[in-house]
Amino acid sequence: MRLVFMGTPDFAVPALRALHARGHDIAAVYSQPPRPAGRGKAVRPSPVHRAAQELGLDVRHPVSLRANQAEWDAFAALKADAAIVAAYGLILPPAMLTAPRLGCLNIHASLLPRWRGASPIQSAILAGDTQSGVTIMQMEAGLDTGPMLRADSVPITTATTATTLHDQLALMGAELVVHVLAEGATPVTQPEDGVTYAPRLTREDGRINWQDSATAIDRRIRALTPWPGTFTTLPDGTVIKIGAATPCATRHSALPGTILDDDLNIACGEGAIRLLALQRPGRGMMQADAFLRGQSLPPGLRLGEDTAHTHD
């Protein structure tokens, strides 16, 4: 088929590569414009942009598609059979949704209608869901509301992180969209029951509230690492990022946020959690024992009391 591919982050790259490998004619790849990234803030193309260049594909990166008639006309002129969209990051106007012969198909990282929206992978882990998956859907004007074409699921365990689930679903999405294009699919209207929305995340979502249960805090750390990342503060306001932790059986009667022992077991609103990897400002993420060689965190110190501190 003659396709247009539209995506930006790493999640979309396996689908682009799979479609190219299957011999589809990819007329153009749309991705977000190159932007400053990393400590040096050098301007970098997106992961999809880089992959498309490696494959020798034409890349377009309009800043906006809103009221952009010239871009709509250029898109229609590609005369694509379908557009495949995976975490592109721009809303497609009706003129673009209807331009390809078969419309636009979205690779969405949830089992719709659960977790429509921007952060389905993180939201599923945060909520304690026992499964996630990918839905291939026909796009329409609503937010992830279109008919479903195919879906598959994976379990979420107590070891699942946003990183591991992301990688699983990226590969699953690539396989599913290849199958849909090869075999076709009967559209199924999304049910009205079970609709939930996954909000756009901010850095503040990563602030640990030690009043929460150890189970909830564990989910937050697994869901929001590596981005936006989870963190707490020392009494002096120093931000400490948390890279990994595990609930533990330590019994306590301490206030939430209190360091219980030299093993970095922390009192929670219910239960306790052991911090396994931490990061000081300006340093890399370290295992707890290495971290403690350069930063004293004595038992009895209470984390997260500096609630007025703004994380940056």
Side-chain angles (χ1 to χ4, degrees):
M1 286 189 184
R2 183 171 173 83
L3 304 176
V4 174
F5 188 86
M6 312 181 84
T8 297
D10 288 312
F11 176 80
V13 171
L16 174 60
R17 293 192 181 280
L19 293 167
H20 183 268
R22 288 296 292 260
H24 290 287
D25 174 17
I26 301 176
V29 173
Y30 281 73
S31 193
Q32 291 275 327
R35 293 200 167 96
R39 289 189 176 181
K41 298 299 181 183
V43 175
R44 298 179 187 172
S46 73
V48 165
H49 189 151
R50 293 196 300 271
Q53 287 179 320
E54 292 172 10
L55 297 172
L57 301 173
D58 178 43
V59 181
R60 303 183 183 186
H61 41 75
V63 174
S64 173
L65 297 175
R66 185 178 300 172
N68 191 340
Q69 187 66 52
E71 195 59 56
W72 302 351
D73 292 344
F75 183 79
L78 294 170
K79 298 189 182 303
D81 292 309
I84 307 301
V85 183
Y88 175 38
L90 292 181
I91 295 174
L92 303 189
M96 295 180 74
L97 290 173
T98 58
R101 180 175 63 87
L102 300 174
C104 300
L105 308 184
N106 185 40
I107 304 171
H108 186 74
S110 81
L111 297 172
L112 291 170
R114 188 163 176 80
W115 303 129
R116 295 173 179 173
S119 59
I121 292 173
Q122 297 90 339
S123 294
I125 298 173
L126 276 171
D129 289 1
T130 58
Q131 64 174 354
S132 180
V134 170
T135 305
I136 308 298
M137 52 162 284
Q138 189 86 40
M139 294 179 69
E140 55 183 32
L143 177 64
D144 301 326
T145 58
M148 302 177 292
L149 301 174
R150 188 160 181 158
D152 200 359
S153 64
V154 296
I156 295 178
T157 72
T158 55
T160 299
T161 66
T163 298
T164 59
L165 185 55
H166 167 282
D167 292 351
Q168 283 181 290
L169 299 187
L171 294 175
M172 176 180 285
E175 295 173 1
L176 287 179
V177 77
V178 165
H179 283 307
V180 166
L181 291 178
E183 303 168 10
T186 301
V188 176
T189 301
Q190 291 188 36
E192 295 183 6
D193 291 338
V195 174
T196 57
Y197 289 93
R200 190 171 298 279
L201 297 170
T202 68
R203 292 187 184 277
E204 190 61 24
D205 289 314
R207 183 184 292 275
I208 297 297
N209 181 355
W210 296 106
Q211 303 280 351
D212 290 342
S213 69
T215 298
I217 291 172
D218 172 54
R219 288 175 186 160
R220 184 163 297 271
I221 294 167
R222 289 187 290 115
L224 302 186
T225 301
W227 197 91
T230 51
F231 67 96
T232 190
T233 52
L234 301 182
D236 65 2
T238 300
V239 172
I240 300 296
K241 293 184 179 180
I242 301 171
T246 186
C248 59
T250 302
R251 295 180 178 274
H252 69 86
S253 58
L255 291 172
T258 302
I259 299 175
L260 298 173
D261 51 37
D262 291 328
D263 292 326
L264 285 187
N265 289 312
I266 314 298
C268 303
E270 179 182 325
I273 195 166
R274 177 174 296 180
L275 304 186
L276 302 177
L278 305 94
Q279 181 179 356
R280 293 195 298 273
R283 301 290 185 91
M285 188 67 67
M286 302 179 186
Q287 295 301 303
D289 56 350
F291 180 90
L292 289 173
R293 286 197 286 271
Q295 173 74 55
S296 175
L297 293 179
L301 187 75
R302 194 173 176 203
L303 302 175
E305 288 190 284
D306 181 39
T307 56
H309 185 83
T310 300
H311 179 52
D312 54 21

